[in-house]
């Protein structure tokens, strides 16, 4: 008999289960290690486009990596290490082709206060701990927690971060020494040292700002003429252009013994060292063990991972162009980027909006563009560190200040004023708290205010209460505009009784339930009390068109409530005689 695959498939369920199991494992691996899905389909045309995009992003990643490391109070190479490791790890585990993982302004800001207090090693420790927390959250599918951080709170935080980071660079732009611990401290130090402002650093800084703004607004086009394409590339690589010009100018002057600018100084040469992250740190004659370090970080162990996830997933969704984003996979990839990064002395990393936008505008096809960017950054670490020593501090300050200017969202205030003014409260509280007491506590304050507003509106739902005349009979019509929580049910009862107390005559009350889909025992109790209160006033209460689930909950709480439920097409039918009156006589 010839071999019949159909019969084998029909008669051997064990074999079918094994084949299905292997297929599921393959799908699982492709979902968790996305490079296995797209690499077999990779072609030369995609490679050429990815090389162009990778080189363009690399020219942005190098100056930004150095700049953000300096913002965090770290040696410049920490930012470069973070950039190249983020690119390499995300290549394997990332699911969004446009995302570029590395140091960002917000991660630098959140690391700064701890670096100032405990030294460089704490940034590497933060990178490891943040990576572990992010990966665990991804494995446990805890991304839904981010939904409790509203848009006004996020914008308030990012605006505050932009102001704090820009303010911290004012001193370097003006050639002043020292660094600031907070927004207020930065402003105070600039005012106190106004007599120490250096002319040449200031001139270089402001000229760099002007050039960066002009280059950003060049009329270049990706698909235009050769000249327009050139302008487009120059505009995308404007940070690198300004830094390179600053290096050339500074090196030329220093070679003749002229030193008008403060420069970045020594940067560790060679490739990043590979080793375990520091699980204990010795500083100021005190040794901090692992638990003591976690205790010293405090809320940072949660706030840094949450903000990193929020930033990265928001960017992924912004560039997904309608495609679904696997938030749990993105969290897993981001966590691994930080964990592996801590083995090469990286600072905390997340998705960068600026570099992702450059990657997208450059027409990247796959995450392979990250490999090109990582190789370029690695090349810079190995061969160009001596060149980076001559980067003027004023030029880096200009790069950061201009980036923060474009990160600041001023238009959001007018948008919220037009749409919902109450949203300005959490935004303003977050913004001012971040500036006054620090970014972490400011974020907590904003979330707290947002939750208070959320609870308030849950307890004070929209209620439609109006008198209506139905077939010559005046009734009080009540319609909750959302499901009722237990404080909302008490509010409904108070509003109905307050309305009834203002009238001398007694009229029937109809409570519509089409928007109420879920209640608990406390809600049922309050509605039963409302029925008793109205019966004491010789008034009828009708629960009209409530769903079966809510009706069942109320009847189980008090069986006598079943007499008050009515389902009909119109209110008129309730009182027309075709449906019996639910009125219960007073005892």
């Amino acid at each position: 008999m010839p071999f019949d695959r159909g019969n084998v498939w029909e008669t051997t369920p064990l074999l079918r289960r094994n084949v299905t199991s292997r297929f599921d494992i393959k799908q699982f691996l492709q979902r968790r290690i996305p490079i296995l899905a797209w690499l077999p389909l990779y072609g030369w045309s995609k490679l050429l486009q990815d090389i162009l995009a990778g080189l363009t992003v690399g020219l942005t990643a190098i100056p930004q990596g150095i700049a953000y490391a300096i913002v965090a109070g770290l040696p410049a190479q920490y930012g470069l290490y973070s950039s190249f490791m983020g690119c390499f790890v995300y290549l394997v585990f990332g699911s969004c082709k446009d995302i570029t993982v590395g140091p960002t302004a917000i991660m630098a800001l959140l690391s700064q206060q701890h670096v100032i207090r405990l030294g460089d090693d704490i940034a590497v420790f933060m990178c490891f701990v943040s990576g572990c927390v992010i990966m665990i959250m991804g494995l446990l599918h805890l991304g839904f927690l981010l939904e409790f951080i509203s848009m006004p709170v996020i914008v308030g935080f990012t605006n505050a971060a932009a102001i704090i980071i820009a303010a911290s660079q004012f001193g370097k732009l003006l050639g002043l020494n020292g660094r600031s611990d907070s927004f207020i401290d930065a402003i105070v130090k600039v005012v106190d040292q106004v007599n120490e402002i250096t002319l040449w650093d200031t001139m270089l800084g402001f000229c760099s700002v002007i050039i960066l703004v002009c280059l950003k607004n060049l009329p270049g086009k990706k698909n235009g003429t050769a000249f327009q394409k050139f302008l487009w590339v120059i505009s995308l690589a404007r940070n690198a252009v300004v830094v390179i010009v600053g290096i050339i100018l500074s090196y030329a002057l220093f070679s003749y013994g002229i030193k008008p600018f403060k420069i970045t100084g020594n940067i560790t040469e060679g490739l990043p060292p590979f080793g375990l992250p520091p699980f204990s740190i010795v500083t100021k004659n005190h040794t901090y063990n692992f638990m003591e370090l976690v205790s010293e970080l405090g809320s940072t162990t949660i706030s840094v991972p949450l903000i990193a996830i929020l930033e990265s997933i928001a960017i992924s969704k912004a560039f997904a162009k309608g495609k679904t984003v696997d938030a749990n996979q993105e969290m897993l990839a981001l966590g691994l980027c930080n964990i592996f990064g801590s083995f090469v002395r990286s600072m905390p990393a997340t998705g960068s909006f600026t570099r992702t936008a450059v990657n997208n505008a450059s027409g990247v096809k796959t995450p392979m563009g990250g490999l090109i960017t990582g190789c370029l950054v690695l090349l810079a670490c190995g061969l160009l560190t001596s060149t980076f020593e001559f980067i003027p501090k004023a030029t880096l300050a200009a790069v950061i200040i201009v980036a923060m200017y474009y990160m600041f969202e001023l238009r959001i205030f007018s948008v919220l004023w037009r749409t919902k003014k109450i949203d300005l409260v959490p935004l303003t509280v977050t913004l001012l708290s971040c500036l006054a007491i620090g970014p972490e506590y400011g974020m907590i304050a904003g979330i707290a205010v947002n939750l208070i507003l959320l609870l308030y509106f849950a307890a004070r739902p929209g209620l439609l209460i109006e008198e209506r005349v139905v077939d010559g009979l005046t009734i009080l019509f009540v319609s909750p505009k959302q499901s009722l929580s237990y404080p909302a049910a008490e509010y409904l009862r108070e509003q109905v009784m307050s309305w009834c107390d203002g009238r001398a005559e007694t009229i029937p009350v109809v409570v519509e339930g089409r928007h109420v889909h879920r209640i608990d025992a406390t809600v049922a109790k309050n509605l039963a009390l409302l029925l008793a209160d109205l019966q004491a006033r010789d008034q009828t209460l009708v629960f009209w068109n409530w769903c079966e689930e809510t009706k069942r909950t109320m009847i189980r709480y008090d069986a006598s409530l079943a007499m008050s439920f009515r389902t009909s097409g119109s209110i008129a039918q309730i009182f027309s005689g075709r449906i019996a009156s639910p009125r219960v006589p007073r005892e």
Side-chain angles (χ1 to χ4, degrees):
M1 179 184 292
F3 185 79
D4 187 310
R5 289 183 180 271
N7 292 335
V8 172
W9 190 257
E10 291 290 337
T11 58
T12 55
L14 180 59
L15 175 62
R16 182 165 71 251
R17 284 198 298 272
N18 289 338
V19 173
T20 304
S21 177
R22 288 197 295 270
F23 178 74
D24 290 343
I25 291 173
K26 180 181 177 181
Q27 278 193 328
F28 174 80
L29 289 175
Q30 288 181 342
R31 190 169 66 252
R32 292 297 172 230
I33 310 177
I35 193 173
L36 298 178
W38 59 262
L39 190 59
L41 306 176
Y42 201 69
W44 287 106
S45 60
K46 292 181 180 179
L47 177 61
L48 294 174
Q49 194 68 47
D50 286 343
I51 290 175
L52 174 62
L55 292 174
T56 307
V57 174
L59 292 175
T60 303
I62 292 171
Q64 281 196 344
I66 295 172
Y68 293 144
I70 292 173
V71 168
L74 295 166
Q77 63 268 18
Y78 280 61
L80 297 177
Y81 298 164
S82 181
S83 293
F84 101 84
M85 184 55 76
C87 291
F88 284 140
V89 176
Y90 194 82
L91 165 72
V92 178
F93 296 99
S95 61
C96 179
K97 67 180 179 65
D98 300 294
I99 285 286
T100 303
V101 175
T104 66
I106 293 177
M107 291 294 102
L109 178 63
L110 295 175
S111 305
Q112 182 189 66
Q113 57 178 320
H114 300 292
V115 171
I116 292 173
R117 192 160 46 88
L118 297 171
D120 300 346
D121 283 348
I122 193 64
V124 182
F125 182 77
M126 284 176 62
C127 187
F128 175 78
V129 171
S130 298
C132 292
V133 173
I134 294 169
M135 187 176 69
I136 291 170
M137 290 181 67
L139 292 174
L140 297 179
H141 295 194
L142 297 179
F144 72 92
L145 294 174
L146 301 178
E147 297 172 7
F148 289 94
I149 307 177
S150 68
M151 183 267 288
V153 174
I154 296 169
V155 175
F157 176 80
T158 54
N159 279 352
I163 293 172
I164 294 170
I165 294 169
S168 71
Q169 298 303 305
F170 286 158
K172 294 183 176 63
L173 190 76
L174 301 173
L176 301 177
N177 294 317
R179 60 187 181 186
S180 57
D181 299 334
S182 64
F183 168 72
I184 297 173
D185 184 50
I187 300 301
V188 169
K189 284 184 176 179
V190 170
V191 173
D192 288 345
Q193 301 178 38
V194 68
N195 294 327
E196 301 175 20
I197 292 175
T198 58
L199 175 63
W200 295 111
D201 283 301
T202 303
M203 288 184 61
L204 178 63
F206 278 97
C207 287
S208 298
V209 169
I210 294 170
I211 292 171
L212 283 166
V213 174
C214 291
L215 291 180
K216 179 177 175 58
N217 293 288
L218 286 177
K221 292 182 180 179
K222 179 181 177 181
N223 299 319
T225 63
F227 181 69
Q228 288 176 325
K229 287 182 180 178
F230 173 76
L231 293 180
W232 173 73
V233 172
I234 293 296
S235 179
L236 288 179
R238 59 188 176 276
N239 291 337
V241 171
V242 170
V243 169
I244 291 171
V245 171
I247 291 173
I248 293 172
L249 180 61
S250 179
Y251 180 79
L253 293 173
F254 271 61
S255 63
Y256 286 99
I258 304 172
K259 301 180 179 180
F261 311 125
K262 291 182 174 64
I263 59 174
T264 302
N266 183 53
I267 297 178
T268 303
E269 294 185 3
L271 300 178
F274 187 85
L276 290 173
F279 296 121
S280 64
I281 295 176
V282 180
T283 181
K284 297 178 181 178
N285 297 322
H286 179 74
T287 301
Y288 293 89
N289 59 32
F290 183 88
M291 294 308 299
E292 287 177 327
L293 289 175
V294 173
S295 177
E296 286 292 319
L297 291 177
S299 62
T300 303
T301 55
I302 300 299
S303 62
V304 169
L306 282 178
I307 293 167
I309 295 168
L310 190 67
E311 195 172 357
S312 189
I313 293 179
I315 294 169
S316 299
K317 291 181 178 179
F319 289 91
K321 295 181 179 178
K323 297 179 181 178
T324 57
V325 174
D326 187 345
N328 295 310
Q329 178 60 29
E330 285 298 300
M331 291 163 67
L332 179 64
L334 183 59
L336 290 172
C337 284
N338 280 279
I339 291 174
F340 282 106
S342 68
F343 284 82
V344 294
R345 298 196 66 79
S346 294
M347 59 186 288
T350 186
S352 164
F353 186 85
T354 302
R355 296 191 292 277
T356 300
V358 171
N359 207 18
N360 178 265
S362 302
V364 71
K365 297 298 182 183
T366 68
M368 186 65 75
L371 176 64
I372 308 303
T373 299
C375 289
L376 187 60
V377 174
L378 198 61
L379 183 66
C381 290
L383 303 178
L384 300 178
T385 49
S386 58
T387 304
F388 294 151
E389 294 177 16
F390 292 95
I391 301 176
K393 290 185 177 180
T395 299
L396 279 180
V399 169
I400 296 169
I401 289 172
V402 171
M404 295 305 100
Y405 171 77
Y406 288 109
M407 193 172 97
F408 187 83
E409 292 187 54
L410 186 61
R411 191 177 65 90
I412 192 65
F413 291 92
S414 61
V415 170
L416 294 182
W417 181 265
R418 291 195 309 269
T419 52
K420 195 170 184 181
K421 296 179 178 61
I422 193 66
D423 285 339
L424 288 170
V425 175
L427 187 151
T428 306
V429 169
T430 305
L431 177 62
L432 296 180
S433 299
C434 287
L435 296 179
I437 60 177
E440 293 176 12
Y441 296 110
M443 173 68 86
I444 293 171
I447 294 173
V449 170
N450 210 72
L451 290 176
I452 290 171
L453 291 175
L454 193 64
L455 292 173
Y456 174 81
F457 289 118
R460 296 292 182 268
L463 285 177
L464 174 63
I465 303 180
E466 62 182 10
E467 290 187 12
R468 294 184 180 180
V469 178
V470 180
D471 290 344
L473 175 65
T474 302
I475 66 166
L476 181 64
F477 180 77
V478 181
S479 179
K481 296 181 180 179
Q482 63 191 60
S483 285
L484 295 174
S485 58
Y486 58 88
E490 177 65 28
Y491 174 70
L492 182 147
R493 179 187 165 203
E494 290 175 357
Q495 292 298 307
V496 171
M497 293 309 301
S498 175
W499 189 287
C500 292
D501 288 340
R503 290 184 57 95
E505 66 274 19
T506 59
I507 60 174
V509 178
V510 177
V511 180
E512 183 188 37
R514 62 191 176 99
H515 296 301
V516 182
H517 304 293
R518 186 172 50 255
I519 62 171
D520 58 17
T522 310
V523 175
K525 175 185 175 182
N526 276 284
L527 294 175
L529 289 173
L530 176 62
L531 175 62
D533 291 341
L534 291 174
Q535 286 179 353
R537 294 173 50 89
D538 198 23
Q539 287 183 261
T540 300
L541 175 61
V542 177
F543 297 113
W544 180 48
N545 288 349
W546 288 60
C547 70
E548 288 300 320
E549 182 181 347
T550 56
K551 187 189 302 184
R552 195 180 306 116
T553 302
M554 291 174 65
I555 293 173
R556 284 174 179 173
Y557 176 82
D558 186 347
S560 65
L561 292 174
M563 299 287 295
S564 298
F565 284 99
R566 293 294 179 268
T567 301
S568 62
S570 67
I571 299 176
Q573 292 178 335
I574 299 174
F575 304 100
S576 65
R578 284 175 288 177
I579 296 178
S581 172
R583 181 167 176 171
V584 178
R586 295 175 63 184
E587 295 181 358

